[in-house]
């Protein structure tokens, strides 16, 4: 069954979410009619999404569904063909300081000549401002963030000499140093060790307790209901979005991964695992 | 070996050029766009010629402005050709810089034909470092080669920009996406770096020629990169390697050939050669991960 068919015989995701009363200044992220295309080939279609405050939100969908693109479009890193994105009621460019970003780990060159502490300090650059130098205060903030993710002892190490999990922790520490209210994380769980995975989960819950909102692009269907209290099912369009227990269902997953049989089996298996 | 004041000026001029090139060059190396320096240093030629034709003189300023403009255009055209022409970045660069370079040669030939002037293509390519001490300017009580003065100004400008925007260059080289989300315009930083390369190239052209510029943009930075894991140390070391290559290059150029009964050879050519040899030595013997030194760094220990 195709996605369109699913969308026809049930209230669309956008309609459902529109029913939630919208308070512009308290909605961390409001996406309205967003369409993104790469070289005139559409990647995201008509995305309407209001993310409530204080939720851990998993963005889930098959490869090529546009999950990373959705994040990048919100952050103005890829051009929008149409649509608006509001962060706490204002255009993103006016509310940058409220937003933290953890890019995919492979998106940077880890042979770049900086230490772990240098990378974390980069999270404070937005506050430091143009032309001003990094001061001791900022390095101390960065050091606290590194200690927070449990690798304070690696502060002086060059980043190529860190394991994959440690590198991911450096990125998370950098996001903490940004001191944002809304976080975007692009596959923070990809290829990390079990200890790091648990550390990230702990960190996500801490952020939630502080009333922060976190959007996480996530691949592992088996852990979705365990980690996230809100889910966005994405496959070029928003197939469905809402509280995990309502939205993360077998039918919705079929609709999201529709047509891709191998993936569908995988999804079904994952769902069985997660419900067990 | 006979060492004259002229020799000192040749080394100083070469060293000023090397350091002026090495500073932006480090960021070119780190951004994996080393060949862009090569492309820009060739492609600025039409800008140089147009600046000359418009101003109808060999005033440095219009030529610098023309070249800086074309330098930025080179980066921009490369981006466009890659994006819209569906060719990879290397091919796009090859198309843009050879076309602009050829256009520049045509313009210079034309200028030379019509106005009987001394803008000479071979001079632009190979430079005339040995002639630099003959063209002196008076600055207070000092007589300084014009080329050295220009290169000193460009060096100070590059240094000032990098010091003022150190953290912006650092972040936009390492993680341009995060830079953008923090409000640092990564695209602007890219074109600022390209302009610095273009201006440095042009200031160096007449004195030392484009060969040493291409070498000094990349080789000292790449050599320093082998030795350190800190950006500011890399910048410092690249400057030192540039100075070392200039001094050694000139000494070798005026001494070694005479041992075999030849005349001294091109100093700028030998400076670039020495820079390459220094890279080779560091690559082979550096204590961190030299080819002939056992690896001591354990990547995964924690």
């Amino acid at each position: 069954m195709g996605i369109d068919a699913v969308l026809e015989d049930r209230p669309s995701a956008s309609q459902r979410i529109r029913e939630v009363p919208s308070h512009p200044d308290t909605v961390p992220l409001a996406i309205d009619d967003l369409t993104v295309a790469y070289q005139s080939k559409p990647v995201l279609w008509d995305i309407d999404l209001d993310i409530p405050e204080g939720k851990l939100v998993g963005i889930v969908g098959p490869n090529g569904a546009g999950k990373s693109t959705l994040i990048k479009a919100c952050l103005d890193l890829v051009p929008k063909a149409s649509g608006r994105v509001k962060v706490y009621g204002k255009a993103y460019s006016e509310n940058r300081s409220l937003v933290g970003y953890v890019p995919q780990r492979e998106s940077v060159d880890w042979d770049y000549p900086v230490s772990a502490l240098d990378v974390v300090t980069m999270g404070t650059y937005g506050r430091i401002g143009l032309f001003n130098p990094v001061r001791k205060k900022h390095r101390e903030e960065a050091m606290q963030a590194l200690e927070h993710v449990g690798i304070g002892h690696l502060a002086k190490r060059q980043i190529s000499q860190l394991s994959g999990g440690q590198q991911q922790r450096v990125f998370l520490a950098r996001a903490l140093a940004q001191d944002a209210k809304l976080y975007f994380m692009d596959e923070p769980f990809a290829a990390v060790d079990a200890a790091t995975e648990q550390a990230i989960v702990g960190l996500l819950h801490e952020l939630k307790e502080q009333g922060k909102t976190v959007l996480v692009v996530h691949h592992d269907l088996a852990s979705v209901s365990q980690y996230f209290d809100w889910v966005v099912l994405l496959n070029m369009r928003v197939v469905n979005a809402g509280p995990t227990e309502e939205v993360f269902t077998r039918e919705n997953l079929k609709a999201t991964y529709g047509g891709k049989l191998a993936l569908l089996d995988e999804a079904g298996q994952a769902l069985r695992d997660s419900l067990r | 070996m006979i060492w004259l004041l002229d020799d000192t000026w040749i080394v100083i001029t070469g060293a000023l050029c090397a350091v002026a090139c090495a500073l932006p060059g480090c960021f070119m190396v780190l951004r994996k766009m080393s060949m862009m320096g090569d492309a820009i240093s060739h492609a600025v030629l039409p800008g140089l010629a147009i600046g000359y034709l418009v101003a109808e003189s060999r005033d440095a300023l219009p030529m610098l402005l023309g070249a800086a403009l074309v330098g930025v255009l080179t980066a921009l055209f490369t981006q466009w050709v890659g994006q819209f022409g569906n060719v990879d970045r290397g091919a796009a660069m090859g198309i843009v810089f050879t076309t602009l370079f050829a256009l520049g040669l045509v313009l210079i030939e034309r200028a030379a034909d019509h106005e009987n002037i001394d803008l000479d293509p071979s001079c632009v390519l190979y430079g005339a470092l040995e002639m630099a001490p003959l063209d002196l300017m008076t600055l207070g009580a000092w007589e300084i080669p014009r080329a050295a003065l220009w290169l000193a100004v460009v060096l100070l400008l590059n240094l000032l920009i990098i010091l003022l925007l150190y953290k912006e260059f650092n972040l936009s080289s390492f993680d341009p996406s995060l830079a953008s989300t923090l409000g640092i315009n990564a695209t602007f930083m890219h074109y600022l770096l390209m302009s610095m390369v273009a201006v440095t190239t042009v200031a160096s052209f007449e004195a030392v020629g484009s060969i040493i510029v291409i070498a000094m943009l990349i080789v000292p930075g790449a050599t320093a990169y082998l030795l350190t894991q800190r950006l500011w140390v890399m910048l410092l070391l690249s400057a030192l390697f540039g100075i070392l290559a200039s001094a050694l290059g000139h000494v070798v150029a005026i001494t070694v050939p005479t041992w075999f009964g030849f005349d001294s050879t091109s100093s700028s050519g030998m400076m670039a050669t020495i820079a390459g040899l220094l890279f080779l030595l560091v690559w082979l013997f550096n204590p961190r991960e030299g080819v002939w030194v056992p690896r001591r760094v354990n990547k995964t220990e924690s």
Side-chain angles (χ1 to χ4, degrees):
Chain A
M1 184 164 62
I3 299 151
D4 292 331
V6 174
L7 288 175
E8 270 163 26
D9 62 30
R10 57 158 52 241
S12 82
S14 52
Q15 282 163 353
R16 275 191 71 243
I17 294 156
R18 287 283 150 210
E19 289 160 17
V20 178
S22 144
H23 306 288
D25 290 344
T26 58
V27 176
L29 182 69
I31 303 173
D32 190 19
D33 191 29
L34 172 72
T35 296
V36 177
Y38 283 137
Q39 297 192 339
S40 72
K41 202 178 125 198
V43 187
L44 289 173
W45 265 114
D46 288 340
I47 306 289
D48 285 304
L49 207 54
D50 282 6
I51 304 289
E53 192 165 29
K55 301 286 182 203
L56 301 178
V57 181
I59 302 176
V60 178
N63 289 328
K67 304 186 291 292
S68 291
T69 306
L70 178 61
I71 287 187
K72 287 177 181 161
C74 291
L75 295 170
D76 285 345
L77 294 174
V78 297
K80 303 181 193 59
S82 76
R84 282 162 304 280
V85 174
K86 291 258 163 100
V87 173
Y88 283 99
K90 284 187 186 165
Y92 163 67
S93 55
E94 293 170 46
N95 256 345
R96 282 179 197 287
S97 60
L98 299 180
V99 179
Y101 177 40
V102 179
Q104 286 187 21
R105 187 153 51 87
E106 309 88 75
S107 69
V108 303
D109 171 16
W110 290 92
D111 283 327
Y112 192 84
V114 283
S115 67
L117 186 65
D118 291 338
V119 174
V120 179
T121 309
M122 289 172 184
T124 67
Y125 283 10
R127 290 201 290 285
I128 299 176
L130 196 67
F131 299 130
N132 295 324
V134 176
R135 298 195 190 282
K136 197 169 167 231
K137 179 181 78 172
H138 306 116
R139 278 194 208 91
E140 282 166 1
E141 287 167 9
M143 191 63 210
Q144 280 172 13
L146 259 183
E147 276 162 3
H148 200 120
V149 299
I151 52 169
H153 59 292
L154 300 176
K156 288 189 174 154
R157 192 166 294 186
Q158 204 270 337
I159 51 175
S160 69
Q161 292 164 31
L162 301 171
S163 70
Q166 290 163 349
Q167 290 175 345
Q168 192 63 59
R169 287 179 197 223
V170 167
F171 260 15
L172 285 162
R174 185 174 73 173
L176 287 182
Q178 282 188 262
D179 195 21
K181 287 174 79 177
L182 168 66
Y183 284 100
F184 293 89
M185 302 186 179
D186 204 343
E187 299 205 32
F189 291 104
V192 297
D193 53 283
T196 300
E197 180 149 355
Q198 282 318 304
I200 299 174
V201 171
L203 193 68
L204 290 180
H205 282 105
E206 267 178 59
L207 291 172
K208 179 186 152 86
E209 276 160 29
Q210 294 166 17
K212 302 188 170 184
T213 311
V214 191
L215 274 80
V216 180
V217 170
H218 195 61
H219 252 304
D220 178 25
L221 291 172
S223 53
V224 168
S225 42
Q226 207 180 327
Y227 291 171
F228 303 109
D229 39 24
W230 233 74
V231 176
V232 175
L233 294 172
L234 192 73
N235 193 348
M236 283 178 70
R237 300 162 191 262
V238 175
V239 179
N240 216 319
T244 309
E245 65 271 18
E246 289 175 29
V247 167
F248 196 67
T249 60
R250 181 169 311 207
E251 306 87 78
N252 282 338
L253 276 177
K254 267 187 195 166
T256 312
Y257 287 79
K260 303 187 179 175
L261 284 175
L263 275 171
L264 198 57
D265 289 346
E266 215 176 279
Q269 184 60 44
L271 197 60
R272 273 192 293 282
D273 290 350
S274 71
L275 296 176
R276 200 183 288 155
Chain B
M1 181 178 82
I2 306 156
W3 191 269
L4 304 171
L5 180 62
D6 283 3
D7 293 298
T8 309
W9 277 128
I10 288 172
V11 169
I12 289 178
T13 310
L16 285 169
C17 167
V19 179
C21 290
L23 294 178
C26 281
F27 289 102
M28 307 283 278
V29 170
L30 290 174
R31 288 163 173 245
K32 307 198 187 311
M33 47 190 305
S34 305
M35 291 317 286
M36 202 66 204
D38 193 347
I40 286 183
S41 62
H42 282 86
V44 291
L45 207 55
L48 211 62
I50 290 167
Y52 172 82
L53 288 171
V54 169
E56 296 190 323
S57 78
R58 274 182 59 169
D59 277 352
L61 206 60
M63 299 216 295
L64 271 181
L65 288 176
L69 186 70
V70 177
V72 173
L73 285 180
T74 308
L76 202 63
F77 288 161
T78 303
Q79 183 85 24
W80 286 349
V81 171
Q83 199 172 335
F84 301 114
N86 258 333
V87 290
D88 73 81
R89 193 179 169 75
M93 216 184 286
I95 293 165
V96 171
F97 98 78
T98 47
T99 309
L100 286 173
F101 181 58
L103 180 69
L105 279 179
V106 172
L107 281 173
I108 285 186
E109 290 285 350
R110 191 167 170 75
D113 283 351
H114 275 259
E115 299 174 39
N116 187 25
I117 35 101
D118 45 356
L119 194 67
D120 172 12
S122 73
C123 173
V124 170
L125 282 187
Y126 310 119
L129 188 52
E130 289 80 358
M131 300 298 169
L134 301 180
D135 185 9
L136 293 171
M137 274 178 88
T138 314
L139 193 78
W142 293 74
E143 289 220 304
I144 298 175
R146 188 185 302 273
L149 192 69
W150 266 111
L151 285 167
V153 169
V154 171
L155 166 58
L156 284 177
L157 200 65
N158 284 354
L159 191 64
L160 191 72
I161 293 173
I162 286 176
L163 284 178
L164 274 178
L165 294 172
Y166 182 80
K167 69 181 195 307
E168 284 78 10
F169 270 119
N170 188 12
L171 178 53
S172 62
S173 301
F174 173 64
D175 191 345
S177 311
L178 185 79
S180 297
T181 66
L182 293 182
I184 296 169
N185 191 330
T187 315
F188 172 78
M189 297 308 294
H190 173 76
Y191 287 110
L192 179 63
L193 185 63
M194 296 301 109
S195 318
M196 288 163 72
V197 170
V199 168
T200 310
T201 305
V202 178
S204 313
F205 259 157
E206 196 183 2
V208 296
S210 60
I211 290 168
I212 188 175
V213 174
I214 296 164
M216 291 304 176
L217 272 173
I218 302 313
V219 183
T223 313
Y225 188 34
L226 293 175
L227 283 172
T228 182
Q229 302 175 321
R230 292 290 177 275
L231 179 61
W232 64 272
V233 183
M234 179 175 166
L235 288 163
L236 209 63
L237 279 178
S238 72
L240 288 178
F241 278 117
I243 294 169
L244 193 62
S246 305
L248 274 179
H250 184 62
V251 171
V252 170
I254 61 173
T255 55
V256 173
T258 58
W259 299 347
F260 303 98
F262 296 108
D263 286 343
S264 61
T265 182
S266 150
S267 287
S268 54
M270 193 51 79
M271 287 174 182
T273 310
I274 295 290
L277 287 176
L278 286 174
F279 176 87
L280 185 69
L281 287 176
V282 169
W283 178 60
L284 289 176
F285 300 115
N286 86 74
R288 260 184 58 216
E289 23 198 309
V291 175
W292 287 353
V293 178
R295 247 168 206 268
R296 283 180 305 183
V297 184
N298 184 345
K299 281 214 169 197
T300 51
E301 80 176 312
S302 57

